Amino acid sequence: MFNAEVVKLLKNKIDAIKGGYAPIWENHISAYQIEVPSNFGEQLRQVRNRTAHSSIKRSACGTDLSLAKFYEACHPFVYLLYYVGQGMWTVKDIEAYDWKEIEQFDLAIQG
């Protein structure tokens, strides 16, 4: 699933550049003409499982996949997933948004 999503996002960036509707600050097309490693999703999951838990046993699990190696091989793909998703999940004017039940809950626990 992660591999397919990254391939789609790379294709969208390339299409936007070729179509002339990419933002002026967009990277050169060559930044997106890269191949996604077939095991990217698996590696992302391994790294996430080792680093998102507080147990030291999880971070040192004796695998060949170090954080440094993962960063060198997969940083562009992780960043692309983060950057594109950020736009969908960011509230531009947080004060103007009607939070309904969330705000009522927040006020209740502060009181």
Side-chain angles (χ1 to χ4, degrees), residues 52-95:
H53 298 279
S54 58
S55 172
I56 191 67
K57 292 176 186 174
R58 284 209 158 212
S59 64
C61 65
T63 179
D64 289 340
L65 181 62
S66 71
L67 287 176
K69 287 179 185 176
F70 178 74
Y71 178 86
E72 289 171 7
C74 299
H75 177 261
F77 312 119
V78 174
Y79 181 78
L80 190 60
L81 286 168
Y82 167 79
Y83 181 77
V84 171
Q86 180 184 25
M88 290 185 266
W89 295 101
T90 302
V91 177
K92 299 220 185 296
D93 185 359
I94 199 164
E95 297 300 325

Side-chain angles (χ1 to χ4, degrees):
M1 183 174 80
F2 282 115
N3 282 45
E5 185 66 15
V6 171
V7 167
K8 178 189 80 176
L9 295 174
L10 290 169
K11 181 186 177 311
N12 290 348
K13 292 282 189 180
I14 291 168
D15 290 348
I17 293 167
K18 286 181 177 178
Y21 52 89
I24 194 164
W25 46 262
E26 188 63 82
N27 291 321
H28 187 268
I29 196 169
S30 63
Y32 305 112
Q33 293 172 323
I34 52 180
E35 190 164 332
V36 182
S38 61
N39 62 346
F40 166 68
E42 179 184 335
Q43 289 182 341
L44 179 62
R45 184 66 177 186
Q46 287 175 10
V47 167
R48 182 252 172 225
N49 284 347
R50 288 197 337 246
T51 60
H53 298 279
S54 58
S55 172
I56 191 67
K57 292 176 186 174
R58 284 209 158 212
S59 64
C61 65
T63 179
D64 289 340
L65 181 62
S66 71
L67 287 176
K69 287 179 185 176
F70 178 74
Y71 178 86
E72 289 171 7
C74 299
H75 177 261
F77 312 119
V78 174
Y79 181 78
L80 190 60
L81 286 168
Y82 167 79
Y83 181 77
V84 171
Q86 180 184 25
M88 290 185 266
W89 295 101
T90 302
V91 177
K92 299 220 185 296
D93 185 359
I94 199 164
E95 297 300 325
Y97 191 78
D98 183 5
W99 293 99
K100 298 183 183 160
E101 291 293 322
I102 296 170
E103 185 173 4
Q104 290 176 17
F105 174 75
D106 182 50
L107 293 173
I109 63 171
Q110 288 182 30

